[in-house]
Amino acid sequence: MQELMRSGDAVFLGNYRSEEKYPLVCGPYRVPFLLNLPGLGQRVMGELYAVSSHGLARMDELEGTSRGHYERLPIKLEAEEEEAAAANAYFAHSSYAMELWIKNGKMGLSTYSEKEARGYVKRQDRPQHLTFLDHIHLFLSSSSSSSSSS
């Protein structure tokens, strides 16, 4: 987002919470995943940005929406003392979302804070011979707990 903000393609609007409960879980390398399983998990807190069409195309590329990594879907948000907002969020792709929920013990986070981010591994520091989906499948098939950075 920093790159998009520097280029004028994104503007921070504030912190918002989902109107509905959604699971927010950690996957491989402590990457956060919002799961499109409404009614499960907690109301999730996150940042809202206004993004240009160029910025949105860049975000879709980074989030792998055309490669089955994430899906950009509508979500309803609210903020303290603010009107409700309709926005889009990047949800884990439906092909593996339920497995992530189960792997995390059907326990979701309300926010992805510094505490949850401990152990996060940046994309460039992960094994490069594996695809994003390879990392997901290895994480889901491992016997280790969800708190590891498998």
Side-chain angles (χ1 to χ4, degrees):
M1 292 307 303
Q2 298 301 322
E3 177 187 318
L4 293 176
M5 290 172 59
R6 278 192 298 275
S7 67
D9 287 301
V11 176
F12 177 71
L13 298 179
N15 292 306
Y16 283 72
R17 184 178 307 278
S18 62
E19 282 189 0
E20 284 191 75
K21 293 179 179 179
Y22 288 95
L24 174 64
V25 299
C26 289
Y29 308 106
R30 300 297 295 168
V31 172
F33 290 86
L34 185 60
L35 309 179
N36 189 22
L37 302 170
L40 301 176
Q42 303 182 46
R43 294 179 64 215
V44 176
M45 182 64 103
E47 297 175 341
L48 181 63
Y49 294 84
V51 182
S52 71
S53 57
H54 174 266
L56 193 57
R58 178 73 179 124
M59 288 178 61
D60 283 350
E61 172 63 27
L62 289 171
E63 300 295 350
T65 57
S66 66
R67 297 184 306 277
H69 301 177
Y70 291 88
E71 298 172 298
R72 180 168 42 89
L73 300 168
I75 189 170
K76 290 183 181 173
L77 306 171
E78 57 186 40
E80 290 181 22
E81 303 174 27
E82 296 284 333
E83 293 287 322
N88 286 292
Y90 288 95
F91 290 92
H93 195 274
S94 60
S95 64
Y96 61 84
M98 183 56 79
E99 289 178 86
L100 271 178
W101 178 234
I102 293 167
K103 178 77 172 182
N104 279 271
K106 297 184 178 180
M107 300 286 293
L109 307 166
S110 61
T111 189
Y112 185 74
S113 67
E114 286 183 33
K115 176 186 170 198
E116 287 77 32
R118 262 187 236 123
Y120 175 82
V121 178
K122 293 180 180 179
R123 186 176 294 176
Q124 66 266 20
D125 297 330
R126 300 174 199 156
Q128 298 298 306
H129 67 285
L130 298 172
T131 69
F132 178 86
L133 293 176
D134 289 339
H135 291 292
I136 296 291
H137 295 301
L138 285 170
F139 175 78
L140 293 173
S141 64
S142 72
S143 58
S144 63
S145 71
S146 63
S147 62
S148 72
S149 56
S150 359

